[in-house]
Amino acid sequence: MAENRKRPKPVPPKPPKRKREYSLFNWLNKFLPLDKVFGEKLPGQEERLPVKYFYYFGWVIILLVAYERIGFQSEDYVRKSIKLKKEVDDLKAEYTSIHAEYERAGKQSVVVEKVQAEGLVENLTPPKKIILKEDEE
């Protein structure tokens, strides 16, 4: 008696390779006469750049534009950082001068001069400590 076996599924044939269509090129060709520069080489005509290189040129141009943009952004960043560094240095100098004035105004000699204008004088005798005894119960 014969064995039951699964039949192999038929493999559908692969579709034939289509020649790549350059839709972007066709769309641009409506507005610009690019087929004069990027055209297929035809017998009896001068050699032209093949359409298949059009996308590579596009990628190179996009990469160059991105490279330039990154360069401009980095230069702008450096300019801003230099400007901010100068501003921080100015603020630090201003803080130092204000802090020095504040520290000087708190000294005893400066306070005495300001208070003498109002008629107060500095006490030359040291203060005495008063001690109270609590009642013991």
Side-chain angles (χ1 to χ4, degrees):
M1 182 171 215
E3 287 185 34
N4 288 335
R5 293 185 187 175
K6 287 186 178 180
R7 289 185 185 171
K9 291 183 180 179
V11 178
K14 291 184 181 179
K17 287 188 177 181
R18 282 186 355 187
K19 190 172 182 181
R20 186 170 178 184
E21 292 182 17
Y22 299 95
S23 58
L24 178 64
F25 177 71
N26 292 335
W27 181 79
L28 284 175
N29 198 29
K30 292 179 185 176
F31 305 108
L32 302 170
L34 295 176
D35 58 346
K36 292 180 182 177
V37 177
F38 295 98
E40 294 294 334
K41 182 178 178 182
L42 298 175
Q45 292 184 350
E46 69 276 358
E47 186 173 339
R48 296 179 182 169
L49 293 172
V51 177
K52 63 182 177 182
Y53 296 129
F54 180 74
Y55 291 100
Y56 296 116
F57 290 131
W59 272 110
V60 169
I61 290 171
I62 289 171
L63 291 175
L64 288 174
V65 169
Y67 179 75
E68 288 297 321
R69 178 67 181 149
I70 290 170
F72 285 131
Q73 284 179 339
S74 64
E75 288 176 9
D76 188 39
Y77 173 75
V78 168
R79 273 190 242 110
K80 285 181 181 178
S81 65
I82 290 171
K83 182 179 177 183
L84 289 175
K85 185 172 174 42
K86 287 180 182 178
E87 187 176 342
V88 167
D89 289 342
D90 291 343
L91 290 174
K92 186 176 180 181
E94 185 178 349
Y95 164 77
T96 304
S97 63
I98 290 173
H99 185 71
E101 289 176 18
Y102 175 72
E103 289 293 322
R104 185 180 175 280
K107 290 185 177 181
Q108 182 181 358
S109 59
V110 176
V111 172
V112 168
E113 291 175 6
K114 289 182 181 179
V115 171
Q116 281 180 353
E118 295 181 14
L120 297 173
V121 274
E122 183 179 2
N123 189 7
L124 300 176
T125 60
K128 296 180 182 179
K129 189 174 186 180
I130 301 174
I131 303 173
L132 297 175
K133 293 183 181 178
E134 293 183 20
D135 295 334
E136 293 181 19
E137 293 180 15

